């Protein structure tokens, strides 16, 4: 979501004559787009600001702006901690950036805007900064969150949930496709409650409409809340040919007392039931999750229940985090805080377990042909001498696994020319914990945006 917002910021500043640069040393303005989800992310913001302060000393005209969730949370307190910052703008102020900047330039006085409205300004067309074309792009379909999980800062820094109008989303995706994009990742804190509040067509209907966009090859989305994962959405994985066979379905904990105290509104049994339904519709579906270890009051028994759930599901991947107190989040006031070294040990155990499961799941793909959307090409660095060796193509399977294909051997696979944006069948030869390695098998259909019938994954 922050990556999408950063693109929106770059796009909004383009008419003012600002262009992206690849180095802070060359910049007239540095905007730090921030995340407040965990304590560590906030610490990173201030240590980064400390580094850019040195640049401002050398070049006093340099404008330093802080946007995003830390800006929203801290407001003008940022100016006290980092007095060299010129501009603080919150999560709802991105659309107002041009006018904030002209205020700053005219008066040469620090500006803070952390006002939150009920709606966020819509982007005017595709969110692609000048000069950038990519195969896959993010599209935010809703803002904010109404779920108030007790550990989470999002509802306070991103505001209440609000869904964008379907016609704006469809127009933005059409515009992206017209600019060469082949895959979209729909973003929201809880995409499967899309439109409910506004009485709009639901998330499944939105997916159906996006599925009809000609020239688009793949649709992904994140994040789904298990409590709102409906039968119709589960069914969509069997029906919609462009919908990728991957779902990120954060469970957070495998222990019911903890889920209750987190205010997640499902039990571990209900969660596992949804997983079974998904696998019935789509047996080779990839499932990933988020886990928080060391939530206040998490006992060893609770943690063991999380380990058991991870083993039962057999996730394809996990993001695991140590719980940290967040401003305004109710769990900050909960007693029975878990000791830091227990959190460390639990995190380690989750990560080690998951690494083994991911490797086993990836290895089960060796010998199979997977459809890969080619994303990029790069020359591989040769270790030791600082030089570069043969090139390699990189793409993703529908199940969101990264696949590398050595360019020289790919040619031997008689696959013809490979280009970013092509969907190609790839024979998986090797599996690692974080990627697969394969060769185009040259036998199947190669499509750029053609009819999807033969590539359908309907189960
Ligand atoms: N809306 C999504 C959901 O409900 O799953 C994702 C929200 S958040 C941006 C991403 C993840 O950060 C959460 O799923 C949770 O695992 C983690 N997280 C949120 N607050 C946290 C906290 N206070 N301490 C540790 N991890 C946290
Ligand atoms: Fe945070 Fe819960 Fe909303 Fe996700 S669903 S953003 S974890 S409050």
């Amino acid at each position: 979501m922050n990556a999408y917002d950063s693109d929106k910021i770059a796009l909004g500043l383009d008419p003012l004559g600002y262009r992206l640069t690849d180095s802070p040393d060359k910049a007239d303005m540095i905007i730090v787009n921030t995340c407040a989800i965990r304590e560590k992310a906030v610490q990173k913001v201030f240590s980064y600001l400390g580094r850019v302060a040195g640049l401002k000393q050398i070049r006093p005209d340099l404008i330093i702006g802080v946007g995003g969730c830390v800006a929203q949370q801290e407001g003008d307190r940022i100016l006290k901690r980092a007095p060299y910052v010129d501009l603080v703008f919150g999560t709802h102020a991105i659309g107002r950036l041009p006018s904030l900047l002209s205020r700053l330039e005219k008066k040469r006085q620090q500006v803070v805007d952390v006002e939150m409205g009920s709606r966020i300004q819509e982007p005017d067309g595709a969110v692609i900064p000048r000069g950038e074309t990519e195969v896959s792009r993010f599209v935010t379909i809703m803002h904010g969150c109404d779920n108030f999980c007790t550990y989470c800062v999002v509802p306070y820094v991103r505001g209440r949930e609000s869904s964008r109008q379907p016609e704006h989303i469809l127009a933005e995706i059409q515009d992206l496709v017209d600019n060469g994009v082949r895959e979209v990742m729909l973003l929201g804190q809880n995409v499967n409650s899309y439109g409910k509040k506004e009485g709009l067509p639901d998330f499944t209907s939105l997916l159906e409409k996006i599925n009809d966009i000609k020239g688009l090859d793949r649709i992904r989305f994140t994040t789904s809340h298990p409590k709102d994962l409906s039968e119709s959405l589960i069914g969509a994985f069997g029906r919609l040919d462009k919908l990728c066979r991957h779902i990120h379905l954060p469970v957070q904990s495998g222990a019911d007392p903890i889920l209750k105290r987190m205010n997640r509104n499902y039990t571990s049994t209900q969660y596992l039931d949804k997983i079974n339904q998904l696998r019935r519709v789509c047996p080779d579906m990839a499932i990933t999750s988020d886990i928080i270890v060391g939530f206040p009051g998490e006992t060893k028994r609770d943690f063991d229940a999380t380990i058991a759930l991870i083993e039962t599901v057999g996730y394809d991947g996990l993001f695991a985090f140590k719980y940290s107190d967040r401003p305004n989040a109710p769990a900050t006031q909960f007693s029975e805080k878990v000791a830091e070294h227990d959190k460390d040990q639990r995190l380690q155990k989750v990560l080690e377990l998951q690494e083994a499961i991911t490797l086993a799941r990836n290895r089960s793909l060796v010998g199979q042909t997977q459809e890969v959307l080619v994303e990029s090409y790069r020359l591989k660095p040769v270790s030791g001498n600082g030089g570069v060796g043969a090139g390699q193509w990189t793409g993703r399977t529908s199940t969101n696994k990264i696949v590398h294909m050595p360019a020289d051997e790919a040619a031997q696979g008689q696959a013809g020319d490979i280009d970013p944006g092509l969907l190609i069948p790839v024979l998986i030869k090797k599996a690692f914990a974080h990627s697969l390695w394969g060769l185009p098998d040259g036998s199947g259909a190669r499509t750029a945006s053609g009819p999807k019938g033969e590539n359908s994954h309907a189960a």
Side-chain angles (χ1 to χ4, degrees), residues 276-335:
N276 288 338
Q277 288 178 45
L278 282 162
R279 287 205 163 127
R280 269 201 294 278
V281 169
C282 193
D284 67 341
M285 179 106 165
I287 301 176
T288 54
S289 190
D290 292 348
I291 297 281
I292 296 178
V293 298
F295 184 78
E298 185 188 69
T299 61
K300 179 166 178 321
R301 196 172 160 181
D302 294 329
F303 177 67
D304 289 345
T306 300
I307 291 290
L309 183 137
I310 294 171
E311 281 168 342
T312 306
V313 176
Y315 288 111
D316 291 81
L318 266 188
F319 297 101
F321 311 104
K322 286 192 288 178
Y323 167 81
S324 65
D325 284 341
R326 306 308 306 125
N328 298 315
T332 301
Q333 308 301 329
F334 290 2
S335 53

Side-chain angles (χ1 to χ4, degrees), residues 1 35-39 144-145 147 149-154 158 188-191 222-226 248-253 262 264 266 289-293 295 319-327 329 331-332 343:
M1 201 161 276
C35 172
I37 197 75
R38 279 169 292 277
E39 177 65 35
C145 183
N147 284 319
C149 302
T150 55
Y151 51 80
C152 186
V153 78
V154 169
R158 291 243 172 213
Q189 295 298 344
N190 181 13
V191 289
T222 197
T223 300
S224 335
H225 196 302
H248 185 63
L249 198 62
V251 68
Q252 313 296 359
S253 168
M262 286 177 162
R264 290 291 287 179
Y266 52 83
S289 190
D290 292 348
I291 297 281
I292 296 178
V293 298
F295 184 78
F319 297 101
F321 311 104
K322 286 192 288 178
Y323 167 81
S324 65
D325 284 341
R326 306 308 306 125
T332 301
K343 286 192 211 167

